[in-house]
Amino acid sequence: MQYSDRVLKTPSSFIRNILKVTDSPNVISFAGGLPNPVSFPVNQLQEAVERAISSNGAKIFQYASTTGYLPLRQYIADKYNRLNNLGLTADDILLTTGSQQALSLISQVFINKGDGIIMEEPGYLGAIQAFTMSEPTFYPVTLEEDGLNIEELQQALVKPNAKFIYTVPNFQNPTGLTYTMERRQEIYDLIKNEDIFIIEDDPYGELRFEGDHLPYIAAGKTDKSIILGSFSKTVTPGMRVGFVICKNKEFMSHMETAKQAADLHSNIFSQYTIYEYLTHNDYTSHVKKIIDLYQSQANVMLAALEEFFPENVTFTRPQGGMFIWATLNNGMSALEFFHKAMAVDVAFVPGDPFYASKTNVNTLRLNYTNATPEVIREGIQRLAKILYEVEVAETV
Amino acid sequence: MQYSDRVLKTPSSFIRNILKVTDSPNVISFAGGLPNPVSFPVNQLQEAVERAISSNGAKIFQYASTTGYLPLRQYIADKYNRLNNLGLTADDILLTTGSQQALSLISQVFINKGDGIIMEEPGYLGAIQAFTMSEPTFYPVTLEEDGLNIEELQQALVKPNAKFIYTVPNFQNPTGLTYTMERRQEIYDLIKNEDIFIIEDDPYGELRFEGDHLPYIAAGKTDKSIILGSFSKTVTPGMRVGFVICKNKEFMSHMETAKQAADLHSNIFSQYTIYEYLTHNDYTSHVKKIIDLYQSQANVMLAALEEFFPENVTFTRPQGGMFIWATLNNGMSALEFFHKAMAVDVAFVPGDPFYASKTNVNTLRLNYTNATPEVIREGIQRLAKILYEVEVAETV
């Protein structure tokens, strides 16, 4: 039996495979991308379940609409209008089974085999995986300190059948980088007259602990703008509630068809529950608690990197989110470093799976949201020791 | 902007569009396919949520494994071993976001554009929709009173690149028909040496109110057997928990990759909740309550059809499940009948969307699970009146 080309091409998640190895309690893991459990308002969600059942009864257990629970879609529209002045209605929102499903559906809706996707490099692994199932051609564009490299983007835009650009403009996964105001404007100027959509995938946007909230690249300015959002990083990932925001009616109608085919509709019980939670609690101060924690964890890791790492290792300084990105400039590959690190029970994600076009890279992702200050310092010290041993070996 | 061929080919759900029209409280609707709310054990599910939270805490709100909650997979394996003696382990079970997702993933895993799917005709609309997203060639095989037509199946099996056969062997949607023991054996004998998978989609199997439980066509006999199951018809569809059963490791590993790409994992909160419900309640007597209700509703509709309908309309007699299938032999198309019926506020689903290869058919689906006996009789009487008026008009 011959399986489909698309599934044979699609990598199973490198990270999920790493996590199976690193899941032991002895291992100090900077490999995951999990929210700290402090971000789950457990008691309030339990109360929300009770209210959702007592106010709605059997309805929340029945089949439901493909687009999602209307009051929750209206809540999301109102919130994005308030924060970003986008002029949205509930019809501009489609609820999905996590943002991952949105990535899968968008590529299904746009991509014929071989069509182009312009993609940050390094870029989000889950997006590479979701898109690969539609057999696209990837046009990678280097992600720099300030955002997508403009010259490379220009070159990519003239490629045939490029259907959309995929970006994570705030606290990107895997690099932690944030597009500057100027770069956002440059990108928009470049694409505004092109027949191409731009996805701004923004799961971490609310988790800013430094700098000012920045406007989206294209949202609110063109109907070829798609924003992806999620409750996974601020309420619960386990309930799989994400959403697509787009004012283009034709696109949204195709997305509804694709979603019907994919799973009929998302879990309606969880949509009611999250809506009840959001409308009966102080969400802003809940998010503030997560931000304060992540800021303190990021600061501890950055201080440890400065204190313990050799100077030839550079790293990003995130303004929010969950990740730091390090570059080895000592000739070692990230995979070699990973194997040495696992020998001293420290895990991270080598950069390789985040590149559509490169292997054996010298970059790696460090997550700081799931360890105490003591554990973060201990883990970074162990990694530093490996790096100094390599230097000594090379000097000798 | 050109959207993908696959989404342009895929019909948006005819039924979901009909339901928008028929959703008025004045309309007597036999159009839906919704479980009766009596099948949702609301209080027990609320207790299950409380237990799931108090026993597991934050874990049930976190990201989780792609294959699904292990104790629930083990529960399903044990249950199918008990009832069907299949020798399953938890590794043979993959939890999905409803059975609909299973249909979507299976076609993604098998189908390159143009590959064949052998499909019951009439067949389940949601499957046609899910499969179409992978751009297959459909090879329809007539579904007769006893099961798939053997001669047509033989012809379909020699078609190039036919990857799987799709069946609903028990109380099929849309026809209500059940494959006989003999036909199951004939089908198995025909395919047992072929390089082709067979899906037995069995969401209604537990809802048998007449006749004996029958063994699956192929499950337990070959590793090219796939069973699909669901908690949607006996616990709650709103939580979207379905499952794939297959002993073929290579297939299951591709399914896991496809599922990661599609939505990372299904709602874990609901998986824990359903597990808690199943292990702390008398599920068998709950299902018995649903069976008794559906049997009484089916009997009322069958009696009304016999009493009121002209003899040239034939209909199936389901042994379980949710549907009766009627065939007009009076020259009227089902669509014409539908429009006349809507004028007297009665709805059903005309047969057309259940055929991959035919239009303007004379068959229709009647659902009986969501109406009282009085309403069922009133609705069938109104339909009968239309049929007799046609006869009179033709006689004149």
Side-chain angles (χ1 to χ4, degrees):
Chain A
M1 171 61 60
Q2 186 62 47
Y3 293 91
S4 68
D5 296 336
R6 74 169 72 81
V7 80
L8 295 175
K9 280 179 202 167
T10 302
S12 82
S13 170
F14 193 89
I15 294 184
R16 293 201 150 226
N17 295 338
I18 280 189
L19 293 182
K20 287 177 191 166
V21 186
T22 62
D23 214 14
S24 145
N26 299 327
V27 171
I28 295 179
S29 180
F30 305 135
L34 304 185
N36 191 291
V38 78
S39 57
F40 315 147
V42 174
N43 295 335
Q44 292 86 336
L45 283 169
Q46 177 153 3
E47 288 162 18
V49 166
E50 284 159 23
R51 268 197 313 278
I53 295 176
S54 64
S55 321
N56 303 285
K59 190 159 63 175
I60 74 175
F61 298 99
Q62 186 56 282
Y63 283 108
S65 83
T66 299
T67 47
Y69 181 44
L70 182 61
L72 182 55
R73 289 159 57 217
Q74 188 62 54
Y75 174 96
I76 294 165
D78 292 344
K79 175 174 161 178
Y80 278 76
N81 289 342
R82 209 164 52 240
L83 295 178
N84 301 286
N85 193 26
L86 300 181
L88 303 169
T89 71
D91 286 345
D92 304 323
I93 316 292
L94 173 72
L95 293 173
T96 54
T97 306
S99 278
Q100 182 71 24
Q101 185 183 44
L103 298 170
S104 166
L105 299 179
I106 291 169
S107 53
Q108 288 177 38
V109 156
F110 280 123
I111 303 297
N112 288 322
K113 187 173 173 176
D115 283 352
I117 296 176
I118 298 176
M119 180 88 196
E120 294 167 339
E121 182 161 86
Y124 173 51
L125 171 62
I128 295 176
Q129 204 185 15
F131 298 158
T132 302
M133 287 294 283
S134 295
E135 303 183 78
T137 305
F138 285 111
Y139 299 120
V141 170
T142 304
L143 180 66
E144 309 174 325
E145 194 76 22
D146 291 348
L148 286 175
N149 176 297
I150 290 292
E151 205 167 301
E152 288 175 30
L153 177 59
Q154 263 170 328
Q155 286 160 6
L157 283 169
V158 300
K159 299 284 185 185
N161 294 325
K163 295 290 184 71
F164 61 82
I165 304 166
Y166 175 75
T167 70
V168 182
N170 299 311
F171 333 126
Q172 195 237 17
N173 182 356
T175 64
L177 292 171
T178 297
Y179 289 45
T180 60
M181 187 67 199
E182 296 68 32
R183 190 60 60 93
R184 289 170 197 238
Q185 187 62 48
E186 283 179 275
I187 295 170
Y188 179 67
D189 288 341
L190 203 56
I191 63 170
K192 66 183 174 195
N193 297 319
E194 302 282 338
D195 187 24
I196 194 164
F197 277 71
I198 178 164
I199 302 176
E200 302 184 66
D201 186 1
D202 194 28
Y204 316 107
E206 291 181 279
L207 301 179
R208 180 182 276 282
F209 42 70
E210 223 180 274
D212 294 328
H213 175 77
L214 295 177
Y216 285 109
I217 298 168
K221 304 179 197 164
T222 155
D223 77 343
K224 294 207 168 64
S225 147
I226 299 167
I227 298 176
L228 304 185
S230 171
F231 296 104
S232 291
K233 305 303 187 285
T234 55
V235 184
T236 164
M239 289 192 181
R240 315 299 301 120
V241 182
F243 48 91
V244 178
I245 302 178
C246 183
K247 294 177 75 72
N248 187 306
K249 302 278 178 227
E250 191 181 0
F251 168 74
M252 289 299 258
S253 137
H254 291 314
M255 286 290 282
E256 188 179 342
T257 300
K259 176 149 178 70
Q260 274 178 14
D263 64 3
L264 292 182
H265 65 84
S266 293
N267 189 309
I268 188 68
F269 182 87
S270 291
Q271 294 176 42
Y272 273 89
T273 298
I274 285 180
Y275 177 75
E276 284 295 324
Y277 166 73
L278 293 169
T279 51
H280 286 78
N281 291 278
D282 184 351
Y283 177 71
T284 309
S285 73
H286 170 68
V287 172
K288 181 74 172 59
K289 207 170 61 186
I290 306 172
I291 292 173
D292 289 346
L293 175 65
Y294 289 3
Q295 176 163 38
S296 71
Q297 290 171 307
N299 285 341
V300 168
M301 187 173 275
L302 289 167
L305 289 168
E306 272 166 13
E307 186 177 343
F308 301 120
F309 265 34
E311 284 198 357
N312 60 11
V313 179
T314 54
F315 47 87
T316 59
R317 302 192 144 269
Q319 299 182 336
M322 301 168 57
F323 305 109
I324 292 171
W325 184 247
T327 306
L328 307 173
N329 299 298
N330 60 359
M332 200 196 282
S333 78
L335 273 171
E336 187 188 342
F337 189 25
F338 174 75
H339 291 298
K340 289 185 199 278
M342 281 305 294
V344 295
D345 288 335
V346 183
F348 54 80
V349 184
D352 297 69
F354 301 105
Y355 295 81
S357 72
K358 289 180 195 163
T359 54
N360 215 28
V361 298
N362 66 341
T363 46
L364 55 109
R365 191 186 79 175
L366 298 165
N367 166 264
Y368 48 75
T369 63
N370 272 287
T372 61
E374 298 69 36
V375 169
I376 291 175
R377 283 178 63 85
E378 171 63 24
I380 296 298
Q381 267 186 292
R382 289 193 207 168
L383 293 179
K385 202 164 160 238
I386 300 169
L387 295 168
Y388 276 111
E389 279 164 9
V390 173
E391 290 205 351
V392 170
E394 284 181 353
T395 313
V396 173
Chain B
M1 172 59 62
Q2 186 62 49
Y3 293 91
S4 69
D5 296 337
R6 75 169 72 80
V7 80
L8 296 175
K9 279 178 201 168
T10 302
S12 83
S13 169
F14 192 88
I15 293 184
R16 294 202 149 223
N17 295 338
I18 280 187
L19 292 183
K20 287 177 193 168
V21 186
T22 62
D23 214 12
S24 145
N26 299 326
V27 171
I28 295 179
S29 180
F30 305 134
L34 303 185
N36 191 291
V38 78
S39 56
F40 316 146
V42 174
N43 295 334
Q44 293 87 334
L45 283 168
Q46 176 152 5
E47 289 163 18
V49 166
E50 285 160 22
R51 268 198 313 277
I53 295 176
S54 64
S55 322
N56 303 286
K59 191 161 60 173
I60 75 174
F61 297 99
Q62 187 57 284
Y63 282 108
S65 83
T66 301
T67 45
Y69 180 46
L70 182 60
L72 181 55
R73 289 159 57 217
Q74 188 62 56
Y75 175 96
I76 293 166
D78 292 344
K79 175 175 162 179
Y80 278 75
N81 288 342
R82 211 165 50 240
L83 294 177
N84 302 286
N85 193 26
L86 300 181
L88 302 169
T89 71
D91 286 345
D92 304 324
I93 316 292
L94 172 72
L95 293 172
T96 54
T97 307
S99 277
Q100 181 71 23
Q101 185 184 44
L103 298 170
S104 166
L105 299 179
I106 291 169
S107 53
Q108 288 177 37
V109 156
F110 280 123
I111 302 297
N112 287 322
K113 186 173 173 174
D115 282 351
I117 296 176
I118 298 176
M119 181 88 197
E120 295 167 338
E121 182 162 87
Y124 172 51
L125 171 61
I128 296 175
Q129 204 184 16
F131 298 158
T132 302
M133 286 294 283
S134 294
E135 304 183 74
T137 305
F138 285 111
Y139 299 120
V141 170
T142 304
L143 181 67
E144 308 174 325
E145 195 75 24
D146 291 348
L148 285 175
N149 177 295
I150 290 292
E151 204 169 301
E152 288 176 29
L153 177 59
Q154 261 170 329
Q155 286 160 5
L157 283 168
V158 300
K159 299 284 184 185
N161 295 323
K163 295 291 183 72
F164 62 83
I165 304 166
Y166 175 76
T167 69
V168 182
N170 299 312
F171 333 125
Q172 194 238 18
N173 182 356
T175 63
L177 291 171
T178 296
Y179 289 44
T180 60
M181 186 69 199
E182 295 68 31
R183 189 60 60 92
R184 289 171 197 238
Q185 187 62 48
E186 282 179 277
I187 295 170
Y188 178 68
D189 288 341
L190 204 56
I191 64 170
K192 66 184 174 195
N193 297 319
E194 302 283 338
D195 187 24
I196 194 164
F197 277 71
I198 178 163
I199 303 176
E200 303 184 66
D201 186 1
D202 194 27
Y204 316 107
E206 291 180 279
L207 302 180
R208 180 182 277 282
F209 42 71
E210 223 180 274
D212 294 329
H213 175 79
L214 296 177
Y216 286 108
I217 298 168
K221 304 179 197 165
T222 157
D223 77 343
K224 294 207 169 64
S225 146
I226 299 167
I227 298 176
L228 305 185
S230 171
F231 295 104
S232 291
K233 304 304 186 284
T234 54
V235 184
T236 163
M239 289 192 180
R240 315 298 303 120
V241 182
F243 48 90
V244 178
I245 302 178
C246 183
K247 294 177 75 74
N248 187 306
K249 303 277 178 228
E250 191 182 3
F251 167 75
M252 290 299 257
S253 139
H254 290 314
M255 285 290 283
E256 187 178 344
T257 299
K259 174 144 179 76
Q260 273 178 14
D263 64 4
L264 291 183
H265 66 83
S266 293
N267 189 309
I268 188 68
F269 181 88
S270 291
Q271 294 175 43
Y272 273 89
T273 298
I274 285 180
Y275 177 74
E276 284 295 325
Y277 166 73
L278 292 169
T279 52
H280 287 77
N281 290 279
D282 183 352
Y283 176 72
T284 309
S285 73
H286 169 67
V287 172
K288 181 77 173 60
K289 208 170 61 186
I290 306 172
I291 292 173
D292 290 346
L293 175 66
Y294 289 3
Q295 175 163 37
S296 70
Q297 291 171 306
N299 285 341
V300 168
M301 188 174 274
L302 289 167
L305 289 168
E306 272 166 11
E307 184 176 344
F308 301 120
F309 265 34
E311 284 199 357
N312 60 11
V313 179
T314 54
F315 48 86
T316 59
R317 301 193 144 269
Q319 299 181 337
M322 302 169 57
F323 304 109
I324 292 170
W325 184 246
T327 305
L328 307 173
N329 299 298
N330 60 0
M332 201 197 281
S333 79
L335 273 170
E336 187 188 343
F337 189 26
F338 174 74
H339 292 298
K340 288 183 199 279
M342 282 304 294
V344 296
D345 288 335
V346 183
F348 55 79
V349 183
D352 298 69
F354 302 105
Y355 295 81
S357 72
K358 288 180 196 163
T359 54
N360 215 28
V361 298
N362 66 341
T363 46
L364 55 109
R365 191 186 79 175
L366 297 165
N367 166 263
Y368 48 76
T369 63
N370 272 286
T372 61
E374 298 69 36
V375 169
I376 291 174
R377 283 178 63 84
E378 171 63 24
I380 295 298
Q381 266 186 292
R382 286 192 209 171
L383 293 179
K385 203 163 159 241
I386 299 169
L387 296 168
Y388 277 110
E389 278 165 9
V390 172
E391 291 205 348
V392 171
E394 284 181 351
T395 314
V396 174

